[in-house]
Amino acid sequence: MKTKKLTTKIESPKIPLDLPDKSAEAMDIQSEDCIERGKFQDCFLDNKSFDHVTFDEVIFSNVNFSHSKITNLELTDVIFDKCDLSNADFSNSSIHRTEFRNCKIIGMDLSESTIRNVLFTNCLGEFSNFRFANMKQVNIEDCTFSSTDYCYSTMKQVNFVRSNIDQSQFAGAKHNGLDFSTCEFSSLSINLDDLKGCSISKHQAYVFAGLLDLVIKDLDTPE
């Protein structure tokens, strides 16, 4: 019997070699700017407010975006590596062929965003917000995404792999089958109808049995 793949093959960022260092220009970014082909490293964009900024073929390395409000953002072929995006507001954005590696995205707002071919790996993302997001071909691997909000999002080929998703909210999410079998959680906020097509492990069946007020008895154990 074939084993179901835990991840979807997604398009990686297409970034040229030898990008010029644009770190010195970080403080000059304004709304409606289009930044192409560059690398920003060891700089601060925290507590900033921008709108309709475009980043194309860009690498952010150890950049602090915490508490920034950058709405209607366009990201194409972008890598965030060891960045702090805690409580950053990236809502209503378009994100394509982008990777978040070893990032801190606690409380990050990606609500109502279009997210395509995106990888989150080794990220801390508790309390992040994907509500009403349109997500397709997204891999979330080895992350802590507990208490995350996916309510009313559209999720197609979205994969959770070896991640902590405890107390996350999936109510009203539209999906083509989510695989939680390698993930860690003790409870989820999810409607019974939303469970259709989901894959879980035998151990996790006890969690979902509680939603149905079922009692699972071990017949091999004497009463």
Side-chain angles (χ1 to χ4, degrees), residues 26-27 29-35 40 43-55 60 63-75 78 80 83-95 100 107-114:
M27 298 302 294
I29 296 174
Q30 303 292 329
S31 294
E32 301 188 11
D33 278 354
C34 180
I35 290 84
F40 296 84
C43 53
F44 293 86
L45 286 167
D46 55 319
N47 294 293
K48 302 295 183 182
S49 182
F50 309 122
D51 189 57
H52 288 96
V53 176
T54 297
F55 292 105
F60 295 101
V63 176
N64 189 335
F65 289 89
S66 62
H67 298 278
S68 287
K69 185 178 178 64
I70 313 179
T71 53
N72 299 294
L73 177 68
E74 290 191 24
L75 300 174
V78 175
F80 294 88
C83 293
D84 187 351
L85 299 114
S86 300
N87 298 303
D89 184 353
F90 281 17
S91 58
N92 291 287
S93 293
S94 177
I95 304 174
F100 296 83
M108 184 180 182
D109 188 354
L110 289 163
S111 61
E112 300 186 72
S113 293
T114 299

Side-chain angles (χ1 to χ4, degrees), residues 27-219:
M27 298 302 294
D28 298 325
I29 296 174
Q30 303 292 329
S31 294
E32 301 188 11
D33 278 354
C34 180
I35 290 84
E36 299 178 329
R37 296 194 177 191
K39 184 172 183 177
F40 296 84
Q41 53 188 348
D42 303 319
C43 53
F44 293 86
L45 286 167
D46 55 319
N47 294 293
K48 302 295 183 182
S49 182
F50 309 122
D51 189 57
H52 288 96
V53 176
T54 297
F55 292 105
D56 191 349
E57 298 181 349
V58 172
I59 295 177
F60 295 101
S61 180
N62 194 33
V63 176
N64 189 335
F65 289 89
S66 62
H67 298 278
S68 287
K69 185 178 178 64
I70 313 179
T71 53
N72 299 294
L73 177 68
E74 290 191 24
L75 300 174
T76 304
D77 297 317
V78 175
I79 293 175
F80 294 88
D81 183 39
K82 299 183 178 68
C83 293
D84 187 351
L85 299 114
S86 300
N87 298 303
D89 184 353
F90 281 17
S91 58
N92 291 287
S93 293
S94 177
I95 304 174
H96 183 45
R97 289 198 303 269
T98 295
E99 295 183 357
F100 296 83
R101 306 172 181 171
N102 308 296
C103 291
K104 186 177 179 181
I105 59 174
I106 297 171
M108 184 180 182
D109 188 354
L110 289 163
S111 61
E112 300 186 72
S113 293
T114 299
I115 304 171
R116 298 283 188 274
N117 290 288
V118 172
L119 169 66
F120 297 89
T121 181
N122 291 299
C123 292
L124 295 177
E126 298 100 319
F127 305 105
S128 50
N129 183 6
F130 294 85
R131 183 171 284 230
F132 290 104
N134 190 312
M135 308 167 68
K136 183 177 180 181
Q137 291 178 283
V138 176
N139 288 337
I140 297 169
E141 304 175 13
D142 302 297
C143 293
T144 300
F145 267 35
S146 56
S147 301
T148 296
D149 188 348
Y150 304 95
C151 291
Y152 308 107
S153 61
T154 299
M155 311 171 79
K156 187 174 182 180
Q157 293 178 290
V158 175
N159 303 279
F160 297 87
V161 183
R162 299 179 302 274
S163 295
N164 185 331
I165 59 171
D166 190 37
Q167 299 185 41
S168 291
Q169 303 176 51
F170 293 87
K174 299 177 181 178
H175 59 82
N176 62 339
L178 298 172
D179 191 340
F180 299 130
S181 62
T182 66
C183 292
E184 177 185 348
F185 60 89
S186 59
S187 66
L188 294 177
S189 177
I190 188 167
N191 297 328
L192 292 179
D193 288 343
D194 299 328
L195 282 173
K196 293 179 180 178
C198 291
S199 298
I200 59 174
S201 68
K202 291 181 180 179
H203 173 73
Q204 293 163 347
Y206 287 85
V207 176
F208 291 106
L211 293 173
L212 296 169
D213 292 326
L214 296 177
V215 176
I216 299 177
K217 290 186 175 181
D218 187 346
L219 298 180

